Amino acid sequence: RALKLVLLNVGGAVCGGSESTTLGTPMKFTMCIAENEDSLRQEWRPLSVERGYNENETIVTVIPVTCGPIQLVDFFTKDANTLISLMAQSLHSVYNAEMPFINDCTIVISPEHLDTLIQG
């Protein structure tokens, strides 16, 4: 409720205008993900570094979220190629040809799946 008041009073959201959804989702203002930079392989760089910031800077990335999350629940795949294929299949529903400019996607990989990809 407090977040809704902030959206209305600080962010300027107006019911029926900029705030006109029929079905709500908590991802409008509550999805927060931390990057485990210590688990990255040497050749993988943190997202903030990929975007041009220094490694010693503390950076927060804010992205618009229009759907999701789409979860890939898989406890059995131990092959990197199969796992990548499953990820690609789950991303099929993300693309919308009617909105070609907002088809960016953020993929969050669990530590277990990261291990599978590294071994592959």
Side-chain angles (χ1 to χ4, degrees), residues 1-15 18-19 29:
R1 194 173 193 183
L3 285 172
K4 182 68 170 181
L5 289 173
V6 170
L7 288 173
L8 291 170
N9 296 318
V10 177
V14 178
C15 290
S18 60
E19 175 59 23
F29 46 80

Side-chain angles (χ1 to χ4, degrees):
R1 194 173 193 183
L3 285 172
K4 182 68 170 181
L5 289 173
V6 170
L7 288 173
L8 291 170
N9 296 318
V10 177
V14 178
C15 290
S18 60
E19 175 59 23
S20 59
T21 58
T22 303
L23 300 173
T25 173
M27 289 182 305
K28 287 182 185 177
F29 46 80
T30 61
M31 189 163 202
C32 180
I33 301 170
E35 183 175 21
N36 185 0
E37 295 178 5
D38 295 335
S39 71
L40 297 176
R41 292 179 68 172
Q42 185 176 9
E43 63 270 17
W44 291 12
R45 299 184 308 166
L47 178 62
S48 59
V49 175
E50 289 284 331
R51 294 190 169 184
Y53 296 95
N54 294 322
E55 287 191 31
N56 59 350
E57 292 182 271
T58 300
I59 302 298
V60 174
T61 301
V62 178
I63 59 170
V65 178
T66 58
C67 70
I70 299 170
Q71 296 184 30
L72 171 60
V73 180
D74 182 325
F75 301 105
F76 305 107
T77 300
K78 301 296 181 199
D79 172 69
N81 289 332
T82 303
L83 182 57
I84 289 292
S85 178
L86 291 170
M87 288 179 177
Q89 289 172 19
S90 67
L91 289 173
H92 180 270
S93 65
V94 175
Y95 180 76
N96 183 342
E98 302 297 322
M99 294 187 252
F101 299 115
I102 60 168
N103 284 306
D104 289 341
C105 181
T106 301
I107 299 174
V108 179
I109 300 175
S110 69
E112 297 83 7
H113 284 164
L114 178 61
D115 290 342
T116 301
L117 294 173
I118 288 172
Q119 294 170 8

